[in-house]
């Protein structure tokens, strides 16, 4: 009986996508990769003889509170794949590259929203993965505070966000053993600070204003696969 | 209701009209050549492709360095590209009419529409660069002006339609609660 026992995995993914104008030429690639992710991920898991019983994906499309106001941060709930694939596709399709103002974006605010997602807590084995796609650095937290829709309960600064992420000795808002953060962004503020100081983080460095070829997608896919 | 439908399809009418204008303009003079004794020759796109009179009256008079000899193979290649572009544009426009077009259909249309102006751009380039090598005066006709302008307008119309479609889709998804502006409740 014991040999027939199979662990079930619940995998939650939050895609934080920079959707400012500078991402225009690569946003379609990001969307395409996000759409094919479910099939590719299932193949990887099958090869590893692992049974993912539940895969959910959430999208956080971020820009810049200071410049883009109401359009700064668009979010979805988790989509259960493959059942809600049509809604997932429609949401991805509806996102267009626009705005952004200056070079840096509100990627840290997007991370904060991602951390506070309603993660799966029922599966025997869980993996909670945040994937960030951006072609530039981030503003300091609170840069866009003057926007009327900037949330009052946002992490006040980088230190607070670091506490939200947590560490082995002092867990944050996420499940310490389940959490992973994969960053696909240039080695710029604050992505490099996160990579150097937070646990369970992998950064794939991209050139500012460039990147996201198929090989990068394969890397992200295998990084998620290897973490399970 | 009918007016609303017509407004929704304005992008299609604009792009299709510009495409027709571009094709029609290829029957207008593409370039004209005034010889030193004041005689004027005008050629449309078909006459240029056919060569003949154009080669005798204009090309034989060229005295400057030949950087690029446009032989029959080149002419055929340009003609094939133009016809393919036209086909892509027409197929693209027809498929984009459906409610939820995909990105491939969008790019097919964009490439097709932009490609239809390729011969006009080549003529413009040739006249500007090689003009001084002719004893007479070479000047552009209506086609090299109309076709690129028509292509720009039609590409803009299709691009606008894409953004509008995304906006409409987002509004529909927001109304269904599938996507929303993040706020305090998302940070519980």
């Amino acid at each position: 009986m014991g040999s027939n026992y199979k662990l079930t995995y619940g995998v939650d993914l939050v895609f934080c996508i920079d959707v400012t104008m500078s991402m225009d030429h690569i946003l379609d690639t990001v969307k395409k990769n996000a759409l094919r992710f479910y099939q590719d991920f299932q193949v990887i898991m099958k090869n590893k003889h692992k049974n993912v019983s539940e895969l959910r994906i959430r999208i956080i499309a971020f820009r810049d509170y200071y410049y883009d106001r109401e359009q700064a941060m668009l979010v979805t709930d988790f989509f259960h794949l493959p059942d809600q694939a049509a809604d997932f596709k429609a949401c991805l399709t509806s996102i267009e590259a626009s705005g952004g103002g200056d070079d840096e974006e509100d990627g840290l605010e997007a991370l904060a929203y991602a951390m506070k997602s309603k993660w799966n807590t029922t599966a025997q084995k869980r993996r909670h993965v945040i994937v960030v796609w951006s072609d530039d650095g981030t503003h300091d937290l609170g840069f866009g505070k003057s926007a009327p829709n900037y949330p009052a309960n946002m992490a006040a600064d980088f230190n607070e966000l670091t506490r939200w992420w947590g560490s082995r000795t002092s867990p944050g808002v996420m499940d310490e053993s389940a959490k992973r953060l994969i960053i696909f962004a240039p080695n710029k503020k604050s992505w490099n600070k996160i990579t150097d100081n937070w646990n369970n983080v992998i950064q794939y460095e991209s050139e500012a204003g460039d990147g996201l070829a198929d090989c990068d997608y394969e890397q992200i896919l295998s990084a998620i696969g290897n973490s399970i | 209701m009918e007016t609303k439908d017509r407004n929704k399809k304005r992008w299609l009418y604009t792009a299709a009209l510009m495409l027709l204008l571009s094709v029609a303009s290829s029957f207008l003079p593409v370039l004209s050549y005034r010889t030193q004794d004041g005689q004027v020759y005008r050629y449309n796109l078909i006459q240029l492709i056919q060569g003949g009179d154009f080669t005798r009256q204009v090309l034989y008079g060229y005295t400057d360095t030949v950087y690029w000899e446009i032989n029959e193979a080149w002419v055929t290649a340009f003609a094939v590209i133009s016809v393919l572009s036209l086909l892509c544009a027409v197929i693209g426009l027809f498929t984009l009419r459906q409610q939820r077009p995909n990105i491939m259909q969008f790019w097919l249309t964009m490439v097709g529409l932009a490609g239809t102006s390729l011969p006009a751009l080549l003529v413009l380039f040739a006249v500007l660069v090689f003009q001084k090598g002719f004893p007479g005066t070479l000047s552009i006709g209506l086609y090299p002006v109309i076709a690129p302008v028509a292509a720009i307008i039609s590409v803009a119309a299709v691009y606008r339609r894409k953004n509008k479609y995304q906006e409409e889709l987002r509004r529909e998804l927001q109304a269904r609660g599938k996507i929303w502006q993040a706020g305090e409740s998302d940070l519980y």
Side-chain angles (χ1 to χ4, degrees):
Chain A
M1 185 150 168
S3 60
N4 287 334
Y5 182 75
K6 257 191 164 180
L7 273 176
T8 56
Y9 292 84
V11 178
D12 284 349
L13 289 155
V14 179
F15 289 158
C16 297
I17 308 172
D18 176 348
V19 291
T20 55
M21 203 57 201
S22 60
M23 287 284 284
D24 191 32
H25 65 299
I26 47 175
L27 189 59
D28 285 335
T29 311
V30 175
K31 286 185 193 177
K32 198 179 77 191
N33 290 342
L35 284 172
R36 68 189 234 213
F37 183 85
Y38 174 74
Q39 281 85 356
D40 295 343
F41 185 69
Q42 286 296 356
V43 171
I44 284 192
M45 288 295 100
K46 215 171 184 179
N47 293 341
K48 284 173 168 269
H49 305 290
K50 284 179 178 172
N51 173 33
V52 174
S53 55
E54 197 175 0
L55 176 67
R56 307 188 308 160
I57 302 184
R58 181 185 188 207
I59 306 162
I60 296 179
F62 67 92
R63 294 190 180 95
D64 193 323
Y65 271 106
Y66 185 81
Y67 294 98
D68 300 304
R69 307 280 157 147
E70 281 78 27
Q71 298 303 315
M73 202 70 62
L74 291 169
V75 297
T76 71
D77 212 340
F78 277 110
F79 294 103
H80 293 255
L81 294 181
D83 300 349
Q84 293 179 299
D87 283 338
F88 176 58
K89 188 180 176 186
C91 282
L92 268 177
T93 308
S94 75
I95 295 167
E96 60 183 330
S98 68
D102 57 358
D103 286 347
E104 295 173 339
E105 318 302 349
D106 286 347
L108 294 181
E109 276 83 352
L111 257 186
Y113 283 115
M115 283 182 211
K116 294 221 169 179
S117 301
K118 293 181 182 88
W119 302 101
N120 179 334
T121 53
T122 54
Q124 291 161 302
K125 286 271 275 180
R126 296 182 286 275
R127 186 61 74 222
H128 301 159
V129 188
I130 300 170
V131 186
V132 179
W133 277 287
S134 181
D135 69 339
D136 225 308
T138 72
H139 288 131
D140 289 327
L141 275 158
F143 176 82
K145 241 179 189 169
S146 58
N149 58 327
Y150 192 89
N153 51 350
M154 176 56 71
D157 52 28
F158 189 78
N159 290 338
E160 189 177 351
L161 191 68
T162 303
R163 283 196 293 279
W164 285 15
W165 180 252
S167 62
R168 241 170 253 153
T169 50
S170 171
V173 296
M174 292 178 70
D175 181 335
E176 191 56 31
S177 58
K179 71 177 188 188
R180 294 290 183 276
L181 171 58
I182 299 172
I183 301 170
F184 192 90
N187 196 16
K188 284 180 142 189
K189 191 189 98 180
S190 296
W191 304 124
N192 47 8
K193 209 167 155 190
I194 288 173
T195 312
D196 293 343
N197 296 294
W198 293 8
N199 63 346
N200 297 342
V201 179
I202 309 170
Q203 184 181 3
Y204 292 104
E205 210 180 302
S206 67
E207 290 292 317
D210 200 6
L212 287 177
D214 271 356
C215 58
D216 305 318
Y217 166 72
E218 297 297 335
Q219 279 182 321
I220 290 168
L221 192 65
S222 71
I224 297 170
N226 290 335
S227 74
I228 292 164
Chain B
M1 187 79 177
E2 229 172 72
T3 319
K4 205 178 161 191
D5 277 354
R6 243 199 321 266
N7 283 342
K8 267 189 166 178
K9 285 187 175 165
R10 194 177 286 162
W11 69 272
L12 177 67
Y13 298 142
T14 308
L17 186 72
M18 288 300 119
L19 190 64
L20 273 175
L21 191 66
S22 178
V23 173
S25 68
S26 65
F27 294 100
L28 297 172
V30 170
L31 52 83
S32 61
Y33 183 68
R34 182 187 288 271
T35 59
Q36 282 169 306
D37 53 17
Q39 210 167 344
V40 178
Y41 297 95
R42 288 192 179 84
Y43 302 96
N44 64 25
L45 201 59
I46 292 154
Q47 289 166 324
L48 278 184
I49 291 169
Q50 282 171 340
D53 189 56
F54 175 69
T55 310
R56 274 192 308 277
Q57 302 295 343
V58 184
L59 289 185
Y60 281 168
Y62 186 73
T63 52
D64 214 339
T65 318
V66 177
Y67 295 102
W68 179 22
E69 195 176 336
I70 302 179
N71 53 26
E72 262 180 45
W74 279 110
V75 173
T76 311
F78 293 140
V80 169
I81 290 171
S82 304
V83 172
L84 280 178
S85 298
L86 192 62
L87 275 175
C88 287
V90 172
I91 294 168
L93 283 177
F94 266 98
T95 56
L96 273 184
R97 285 162 64 209
Q98 71 187 59
Q99 208 189 347
R100 295 200 165 169
N102 63 36
I103 199 71
M104 284 300 293
Q105 293 165 335
F106 169 73
W107 282 113
L108 180 80
T109 317
M110 292 292 258
V111 169
L113 289 172
T116 53
S117 68
L118 189 71
L121 294 174
L122 271 171
V123 170
L124 262 176
F125 172 80
V127 170
L128 291 173
V129 174
F130 302 115
Q131 200 173 31
K132 63 180 190 320
F134 291 97
T137 312
L138 200 60
S139 47
I140 54 167
L142 285 171
Y143 170 70
V145 178
I146 292 174
V149 172
I152 290 168
I153 295 172
S154 55
V155 161
V158 172
Y159 186 75
R160 214 169 146 238
R161 137 84 176 167
K162 182 190 170 227
N163 286 352
K164 220 168 177 185
Y165 159 68
Q166 284 177 311
E167 206 181 299
E168 279 167 11
L169 182 61
R170 205 164 45 243
R171 232 177 280 147
E172 181 202 315
L173 289 164
Q174 276 176 334
R176 285 169 54 206
K178 296 287 176 192
I179 194 166
W180 63 91
Q181 289 171 30
E184 286 167 14
S185 59
D186 295 293
L187 294 166
Y188 57 86

